[in-house]
Amino acid sequence: MPRGRYSLHDPHDHTPLAEEHFQCAPGPSGWRYVSQLTTPSGGHHGSVDLTLDELGRPLRLELHAAAWQVRGAALDGVTWVRSDPTGTEATEGNVPAHAFTGTSPAFLVATARLLRLTPSAATRVRLVAFTDPVLAPRTVDQSWTLLNSEAHATDNGLLTVDEYQVTALDTGEQHTVHLAGDVVLAAPGIELEDLETPPSVFT
């Protein structure tokens, strides 16, 4: 069960945004990721709870940020309810998309798990992104390409690192994501600061 800490920063000017303390593991249903976020000064910033089924689809998503929360799942595309803590301003949404995304590294692992690309393969994916700080939903289209997959020797045996190129289809902006199992090693705005146990390997 990987457990560790990511630092999140603005990918453009590198302003620190938050620290994400996480743990994740494959399970009977597929994969689960839970995390708590803190501000650079140490205050509570939010939380992420994401469960995927064995095919990589979101069985359950629960996000908290500022004074907002989102609960969602794959249902007729993806369906979610966004509300304030009291539930008085709850709004429901539904989009014919494949999955969710957001600032948490969990979503990069989830999308890669959903697509299951082979080296040099590329595919398009439609996602609903929840943007900070108010978890506003926005539909995005991306292209994912698995550039290469390399095995690296470590103290715990071979570690396979996958390098993806992700393209935003509305702007053409491209960036690179490096994943090892269910841990993000590097991505724009994301740094892996601490990892207590090796990544889990998806079968």
Side-chain angles (χ1 to χ4, degrees):
M1 178 187 293
R3 182 191 305 263
R5 175 173 55 89
Y6 294 108
S7 63
L8 309 181
H9 58 266
D10 186 299
H12 302 291
D13 63 13
H14 302 288
T15 301
L17 300 176
E19 300 235 312
E20 186 160 342
H21 301 260
F22 74 95
Q23 62 185 55
C24 55
S29 63
W31 181 72
R32 187 177 182 199
Y33 177 102
V34 294
S35 69
Q36 294 289 327
L37 288 93
T38 57
T39 64
S41 61
H44 181 66
H45 188 64
S47 63
V48 178
D49 190 340
L50 173 64
T51 302
L52 307 181
D53 68 12
E54 59 185 6
L55 297 178
R57 299 171 299 194
L59 273 180
R60 186 174 69 90
L61 170 67
E62 186 168 333
L63 296 176
H64 292 265
W68 295 94
Q69 63 183 23
V70 166
R71 287 187 171 93
L75 182 66
D76 297 326
V78 293
T79 300
W80 68 92
V81 175
R82 174 179 173 268
S83 67
D84 63 324
T86 64
T88 55
E89 295 185 32
T91 56
E92 185 173 325
N94 172 262
V95 169
H98 300 94
F100 300 109
T101 191
T103 55
S104 173
F107 294 113
L108 296 175
V109 176
T111 302
R113 180 65 177 156
L114 177 70
L115 300 179
R116 298 174 190 241
L117 296 174
T118 55
S120 300
T123 191
R124 294 175 56 150
V125 62
R126 173 162 289 180
L127 305 167
V128 172
F130 294 106
T131 53
D132 291 339
V134 295
L135 300 180
R138 182 170 61 94
T139 303
V140 298
D141 291 303
Q142 297 177 343
S143 170
W144 280 59
T145 304
L146 179 54
L147 297 178
N148 61 59
S149 184
E150 294 185 352
H152 297 266
T154 72
D155 293 341
N156 298 299
L158 288 177
L159 181 69
T160 299
V161 177
D162 296 323
E163 179 184 358
Y164 293 89
Q165 182 181 80
V166 181
T167 304
L169 294 180
D170 56 345
T171 64
E173 182 179 1
Q174 294 183 333
H175 61 268
T176 303
V177 173
H178 290 86
L179 302 180
D182 54 359
V183 171
V184 178
L185 300 181
I190 298 169
E191 297 287 344
L192 179 63
E193 301 288 356
D194 181 49
L195 185 63
E196 296 180 12
T197 48
S200 300
V201 177
F202 290 117
T203 57

